[in-house]
Amino acid sequence: EVQLVESGGDWVQPGGSLRISCAASGFTFSNYWMSWVRQTPGKGLEWVANIKQDGSEKYYLDSVKGRVTISRDNAKSSLYLQMNSLRAEDTAVYYCACPHYYESGRFYVDYWGQGTPVTVSS
Amino acid sequence: IQLTQSPSSLSASVGDRVTITCRASQAISSYLAWYQQKPGKAPKLLISAASTLQSGVPSRFSGSGSGTDFTLTISSLQPEDFATYYCEQLNSYPLTFGGGTKVEIK
């Protein structure tokens, strides 16, 4: 059974830092790109970052560039998101996701975690 | 690339035919996904590549379109279909989602 289990979500003051993690199991983690997607309270979904299988390529949402770093440890089947200089607008549930399903040149997210909440507030 | 979903919400009855549209601000070929999300749950992939139904998804769901205009159709709404639906484009970074369509019981 595929599992993506996020952890590390917390309350943090504006300007602070936080690292959230995702432990993957049930599939060959090192074979797939991985993603972070967030959802603000009562609002929609927002893609945050992607990382290639070996970590050599990373892509970010413009509003988090320079403040957020996606990384992975394939030996531990784990994904991370280091968030610095946090702002109130970063408050969201952060989902770990795997674009595992391939079709016609693109990988689609069909594996999702349960989400970890991050609150940025003074 | 901006994705505009319409309507943002709708009320419908069991058995109704429901159509949700997603319009991209520029052409995205068929690199579009549709997700269903229920309260407190992660999204679920329904359709990939604009029209491919995922395994286990009921055949009452269908997707169509290419370029800039896409639709998700539920041919006969069932009680378990009341949820929020999102489109996502995978044509280019940054990946983007539509604003969502909440389907409620009439």
Side-chain angles (χ1 to χ4, degrees):
Chain A
E1 180 193 6
V2 170
Q3 284 197 313
L4 296 172
V5 180
E6 301 95 336
S7 61
D10 203 349
W11 171 84
V12 62
Q13 291 190 330
S17 297
L18 191 67
R19 187 176 91 149
I20 58 177
S21 303
C22 170
S25 60
F27 67 104
T28 306
F29 178 80
S30 58
N31 285 357
Y32 297 97
W33 285 74
M34 291 296 295
S35 303
W36 287 101
V37 176
R38 67 186 181 186
Q39 185 163 34
T40 51
K43 294 192 177 179
L45 298 166
E46 186 172 52
W47 169 82
V48 176
N50 271 15
I51 184 169
K52 194 176 180 179
Q53 290 91 327
D54 61 0
S56 61
E57 291 183 40
K58 303 176 184 180
Y59 297 90
Y60 296 96
L61 180 67
D62 284 349
S63 63
V64 306
K65 275 181 189 173
R67 302 188 298 118
V68 163
T69 302
I70 188 171
S71 63
R72 65 193 295 162
D73 184 336
N74 287 339
K76 295 182 178 179
S77 296
S78 292
L79 179 72
Y80 307 99
L81 191 69
Q82 175 68 45
M83 299 183 285
N84 301 324
S85 302
L86 281 161
R87 306 167 180 169
E89 53 265 35
D90 295 317
T91 295
V93 172
Y94 284 75
Y95 290 101
C96 171
C98 178
H100 165 266
Y101 177 78
Y102 177 81
E103 181 178 1
S104 302
R106 292 294 186 272
F107 285 89
Y108 294 82
V109 174
D110 57 343
Y111 297 163
W112 295 82
Q114 84 289 349
T116 188
V118 173
T119 302
V120 184
S121 173
S122 55
Chain B
I1 298 173
Q2 294 185 348
L3 296 181
T4 304
Q5 275 185 246
S6 60
S8 56
S9 66
L10 64 91
S11 294
S13 301
V14 172
D16 284 353
R17 181 182 183 89
V18 168
T19 299
I20 298 167
T21 66
C22 178
R23 175 163 288 175
S25 59
Q26 62 189 74
I28 59 170
S29 185
S30 295
Y31 299 130
L32 188 99
W34 287 100
Y35 296 91
Q36 177 193 66
Q37 187 179 33
K38 297 183 178 179
K41 299 292 187 180
K44 173 187 175 183
L45 180 64
L46 297 178
I47 288 173
S48 58
S51 61
T52 301
L53 200 65
Q54 289 298 292
S55 175
V57 175
S59 59
R60 61 181 179 272
F61 290 91
S62 64
S64 64
S66 66
T68 59
D69 293 313
F70 302 86
T71 61
L72 172 70
T73 300
I74 309 172
S75 60
S76 177
L77 199 65
Q78 297 303 300
E80 59 268 29
D81 301 336
F82 292 96
T84 301
Y85 295 84
Y86 295 93
C87 56
E88 181 199 18
Q89 67 82 18
L90 293 91
N91 182 73
S92 60
Y93 286 109
L95 307 183
T96 48
F97 289 88
T101 296
K102 187 172 184 179
V103 177
E104 298 177 301
I105 301 172
K106 196 173 203 177

